[in-house]
């Protein structure tokens, strides 16, 4: 299954690159809010992914960012973000990814995050471990918050949740860590925790398709993902990811 998902992501990556390199022209429009963008490329890449999955597994359900949930009632459901980091994509920033997760009865059993410009394929399958470009990967062994290279993001602000924004945590945590990055693809940020490039990552108010595959990668690579929601249902789809030692040092900031 892992290799099938990788092959779908690679094909989808070719489609994304055709738009990214301007071989195919795309236009950008706003979604529900003016800060939330969608391009022809998002729709074309999602269509390609769905075609390839349907050809192999016609009975499975599909939940895609652009097409929504289909009405299938299979125990299997594919959760797809065709371009995670659309804002990066439309500005020709290489930090965007294709995210595909397969859930069985609501539990992720396989997934991949693929960054086509960077040439990085991250994938995992239940019981088989996690891989970067086919090589087993593991979360970092950083055990001290002062040495931690971290990432975060501001989906909460783009979702216009001004009250529950990330600025409080950003201000508290950044002075204590070694580095902070904000590149704009939650799926890839999680993959970078899984592969040890980041020691920790947190972000609030994401969507299921942003994080389904990435959470699975982190857990499959020996890491931990917490949901720093503090019981607030609005913040349910929020993540704090790190290795099992470091997560204990970050957790208190989110309590
Ligand atoms: P997208 O590029 O597919 O929209 C960046 O902070 C992360 O937040 C990306 O994964 C991005 O996904 C996601 N994101 C952007 N706007 C969002 C919104 N309004 N609600 C939820 N997630 C959002
Ligand atoms: Ca997304």
């Amino acid at each position: 299954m892992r290799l099938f998902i990788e092959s779908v992501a690679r094909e989808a990556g070719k489609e994304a690159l055709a738009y990214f390199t301007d071989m195919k022209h795309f236009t950008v429009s706003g979604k529900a809010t003016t800060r939330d963008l969608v391009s022809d490329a998002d729709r074309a890449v999602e269509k390609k992914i769905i075609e390839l999955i349907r050809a192999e597994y016609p009975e499975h359900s599909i939940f895609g960012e652009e097409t929504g949930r289909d009405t299938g009632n299979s125990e299997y459901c594919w959760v797809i973000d065709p371009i995670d980091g659309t804002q990066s994509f439309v500005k020709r920033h290489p930090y965007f990814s294709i995210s595909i997760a397969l859930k069985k009865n609501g539990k992720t059993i396989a997934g991949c995050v693929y960054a086509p410009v960077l040439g990085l394929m991250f994938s995992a399958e239940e019981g088989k471990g996690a891989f970067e470009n086919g090589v087993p990967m593991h979360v970092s062994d950083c055990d001290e918050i002062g040495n931690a290279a971290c990432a975060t993001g501001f989906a909460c602000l783009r979702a216009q949740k001004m009250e529950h924004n990330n600025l409080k945590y950003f201000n508290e945590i950044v002075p204590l860590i070694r580095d902070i990055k904000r590149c704009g693809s939650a799926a890839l940020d999680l993959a970078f925790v899984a592969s040890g490039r980041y020691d920790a990552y947190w972000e609030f108010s994401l969507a299921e398709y942003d994080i389904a595959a990435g959470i699975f990668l982190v857990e499959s690579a020996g890491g931990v993902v917490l949901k720093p929601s503090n019981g607030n249902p609005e913040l349910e789809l929020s993540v704090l990811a790190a290795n099992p030692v470091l997560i204990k040092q970050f957790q208190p900031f989110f309590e």
Side-chain angles (χ1 to χ4, degrees):
M1 184 52 77
R2 183 176 70 83
L3 296 181
F4 170 70
I5 302 178
E6 283 194 6
S7 73
V8 171
R10 268 202 192 88
E11 284 306 307
K14 284 183 202 157
E15 186 74 11
L17 283 179
Y19 286 94
F20 188 81
T21 56
D22 251 352
M23 274 160 53
K24 289 188 182 175
H25 178 70
F26 67 83
T27 53
V28 182
S29 54
K31 274 205 278 200
T33 70
T34 49
R35 295 182 189 191
D36 207 358
L37 302 176
V38 62
S39 74
D40 303 333
D42 296 67
R43 286 184 281 257
V45 174
E46 184 157 316
K47 187 162 170 274
K48 166 67 78 187
I49 294 170
I50 292 176
E51 262 169 35
L52 293 167
I53 292 172
R54 285 239 186 281
E56 200 71 26
Y57 301 103
E59 72 287 5
H60 286 187
S61 298
I62 292 181
F63 175 32
E65 171 164 16
E66 309 308 335
T67 45
R69 264 176 220 278
D70 70 10
T71 50
N73 59 357
S74 164
E75 62 183 337
Y76 291 97
C77 182
W78 295 83
V79 181
I80 300 162
D81 193 338
I83 297 182
D84 185 53
T86 302
Q87 180 62 40
S88 296
F89 182 90
V90 302
K91 298 296 279 183
R92 302 295 198 278
H93 185 298
Y95 200 94
F96 67 88
S97 63
I98 291 158
S99 173
I100 305 174
L102 174 61
K103 294 193 172 199
K104 184 180 182 190
N105 295 320
K107 184 172 175 282
T108 308
I109 57 168
C112 90
V113 173
Y114 178 45
V117 180
L118 305 174
L120 291 172
M121 172 72 78
F122 304 95
S123 64
E125 183 169 352
E126 196 173 40
K128 297 191 178 165
F131 302 83
E132 173 183 332
N133 289 347
V135 178
M137 67 174 176
H138 204 268
V139 290
S140 83
D141 58 4
C142 176
D143 60 1
E144 173 52 52
I145 192 166
N147 296 331
C150 304
T152 189
F154 295 91
C156 50
L157 296 180
R158 281 168 63 192
Q160 300 186 336
K161 292 182 180 161
M162 306 308 285
E163 199 185 326
H164 301 291
N165 69 42
N166 186 17
L167 299 176
K168 167 179 175 294
Y169 303 92
F170 188 83
N171 285 332
E172 278 176 17
I173 293 171
V174 170
L176 305 178
I177 59 180
R178 178 173 285 169
D179 188 26
I180 186 76
K181 293 195 166 34
R182 192 276 164 193
C183 290
S185 165
L188 197 49
D189 287 327
L190 286 162
F192 276 11
V193 173
S195 60
R197 286 181 174 78
Y198 294 152
D199 300 308
Y201 160 69
W202 78 92
E203 185 158 0
F204 295 96
S205 302
L206 293 153
E208 187 186 348
Y209 39 74
D210 297 326
I211 54 179
I215 289 176
F216 185 68
L217 290 177
V218 173
E219 291 175 345
S220 301
V224 178
V225 183
L226 301 178
K227 297 188 170 150
S229 65
N230 269 330
N232 181 339
E234 251 196 274
L235 299 182
E236 204 192 325
L237 290 164
S238 301
V239 290
L240 167 62
N243 69 47
V245 176
L246 210 48
I247 199 105
K248 295 198 182 102
Q249 297 172 38
F250 279 90
Q251 208 175 348
F253 293 98
F254 298 88
E255 282 168 350

